[in-house]
Amino acid sequence: MRVVSGIQPTGNLHLGNYLGAIRNWVRMQDELEDGSECLFFLADLHAISMPHDPAELRRATLEMAAALVACGIDPDRSILFNQAQVPAHAELQWLLNGTARMGWLNRMTQFKDKSGKNREGASAALFTYPVLQAADVLLYQATHVPVGEDQKQHLELARDIAQKFNNDFASEAAPVFTLPDPITPPDAARIMSLRDGTAKMSKSDPSEMSRINLTDDADTIMKKVKKAKTDAEPLPSDAAGLGGRPEAYNLVSIYGALAGTSIDAVLAEFGGQGFGAFKPALGELMVQVIAPITTRFRALLEDREALDAILAKGAARARERGAPTLAATYEALGLVRG
């Protein structure tokens, strides 16, 4: 089993990033059987499909690498790297562009969402980046790829590209690419804003009070939790009672995700109590979970040499894993390489 997954480097990492994606990566790493491996990459090549600040991208890439390690990704047990240090990603994308079809890419909903009304002004990279996503996983013969609902379409495209390439340029007995299967984490937490229970927690929200940053100290976390938007009703005794109460549901969900328990279990403990009692308990639990991450995160950011070494080591291992597939692709296409 080989699991491959990527994440775009974004600054100001928050609790939503940790509970929604990063923690599941750590679980996958920890639960893999002997002989299996995880490759986790920072999708910096994908980041340039949209307007960006080069200095900010460089900073965010290093920050994301530090955050992943601080949250529990072990560079000795998993392969952690950024795309830019593995040129085979871009090479394979170009080779697969001959197999991908315009009609397939035209159906990708994320291009429509991100380009908005200015489709003619969007970059070609934004249109073709699903082919790069396909290259990201096909390069390593991934057997499984963790995907949320918004990425299932892209994994289906990767499978279509792999299947067509195998049909066109390989034999059934010796295919060039493995068709990866999706993994949908059963308990991927969807963390909402502390100021609006109907909007996702986001770094782009202008209010710092809307999110818990992984760099927040204990006092800041407690302050933000105590000022989080709620309603006047006490907590119900079961999950059904949270209907129509998005802020209450969000805070209870966060507690359950941090404690590794269900919403009903949280309400069995706090049902009937007001937020004056629940918020301090939630804040203390957040501090307990986040404080060790913050300490490790800050230490890594201050040790650029160690961070560079982690990414360089991971990239070297990734290049080694991907080289046979890239060579087989060139060979199958009839390209002369000497």
Side-chain angles (χ1 to χ4, degrees):
M1 182 174 179
R2 180 174 284 172
V3 178
V4 179
S5 190
I7 187 169
Q8 284 215 32
T10 58
N12 302 323
L13 293 167
H14 52 71
L15 186 67
N17 300 129
Y18 172 64
L19 293 177
I22 299 173
R23 187 175 64 168
N24 281 318
W25 281 14
V26 176
R27 285 176 177 168
M28 280 186 281
Q29 165 195 270
D30 293 345
E31 293 172 1
L32 276 186
E33 298 176 354
D34 291 343
S36 300
E37 63 182 356
C38 289
L39 290 89
F40 299 126
F41 65 89
L42 309 175
D44 47 2
L45 294 182
H46 285 288
I48 66 173
S49 64
M50 297 288 285
H52 76 286
D53 177 342
E56 170 63 17
L57 176 57
R58 186 176 297 109
R59 183 194 67 78
T61 300
L62 293 170
E63 186 176 296
M64 180 64 83
L68 292 176
V69 176
C71 289
I73 296 297
D74 184 347
D76 292 327
R77 297 166 61 202
S78 296
I79 300 176
L80 175 63
F81 63 100
N82 61 302
Q83 283 173 309
Q85 294 199 56
V86 186
H89 284 251
E91 282 187 74
L92 187 58
Q93 181 197 19
W94 180 253
L95 299 180
L96 295 179
N97 275 337
T99 297
R101 291 295 179 257
M102 292 288 290
W104 299 351
L105 295 177
N106 273 323
R107 290 194 291 270
M108 296 294 105
T109 57
Q110 284 209 0
F111 173 73
K112 299 172 186 176
D113 294 341
K114 291 187 177 182
S115 61
K117 296 180 180 179
N118 187 30
R119 293 187 68 179
E120 295 299 315
S123 72
L126 183 61
F127 184 71
T128 61
Y129 91 98
V131 185
L132 178 57
Q133 282 192 316
D136 293 334
V137 298
L138 298 179
L139 177 65
Y140 301 107
Q141 304 293 343
T143 60
H144 295 82
V145 178
V147 291
E149 286 298 324
D150 60 338
Q151 291 296 331
K152 281 186 176 179
Q153 189 183 40
H154 288 165
L155 184 59
E156 290 168 2
L157 176 69
R159 289 175 57 89
D160 288 342
I161 291 173
Q163 186 66 68
K164 180 170 174 53
F165 189 99
N166 288 340
N167 290 342
D168 292 349
F169 302 109
S171 67
E172 186 175 345
V176 173
F177 297 115
T178 300
L179 273 61
D181 290 320
I183 299 176
T184 303
D187 59 348
R190 182 175 171 84
I191 306 302
M192 312 307 280
S193 164
L194 298 181
R195 308 303 297 164
D196 179 0
T198 64
K200 282 186 71 174
M201 187 175 286
S202 171
K203 69 161 189 169
S204 61
D205 192 312
S207 173
E208 276 290 321
M209 300 302 290
S210 70
R211 58 187 168 269
I212 301 295
N213 299 308
L214 293 187
T215 52
D216 286 343
D217 59 28
D219 289 341
T220 302
I221 290 172
M222 294 299 293
K223 178 182 177 182
K224 288 181 176 181
V225 172
K226 288 179 180 179
K227 291 193 174 184
K229 183 179 178 182
T230 53
D231 53 45
E233 299 297 319
L235 289 172
S237 58
D238 57 47
L242 293 173
R245 301 175 64 186
E247 284 77 24
Y249 181 84
N250 185 41
L251 295 186
V252 172
S253 296
I254 292 173
Y255 191 103
L258 289 169
T261 190
S262 67
I263 288 177
D264 282 326
V266 177
L267 294 176
E269 181 178 354
F270 293 99
Q273 299 184 41
F275 287 99
F278 180 68
K279 283 183 174 181
L282 174 59
E284 289 173 6
L285 179 58
M286 279 190 189
V287 171
Q288 179 183 335
V289 172
I290 294 175
I293 295 174
T294 301
T295 300
R296 177 68 171 140
F297 178 59
R298 288 175 173 163
L300 282 165
L301 283 181
E302 292 172 3
D303 191 348
R304 174 64 185 273
E305 186 176 340
L307 210 50
D308 286 343
I310 288 172
L311 291 176
K313 174 185 175 181
R317 294 171 68 194
R319 289 193 295 269
E320 181 183 353
R321 299 294 191 282
T325 300
L326 187 63
T329 306
Y330 274 108
E331 176 69 21
L333 288 170
L335 296 167
V336 177
R337 304 183 76 199

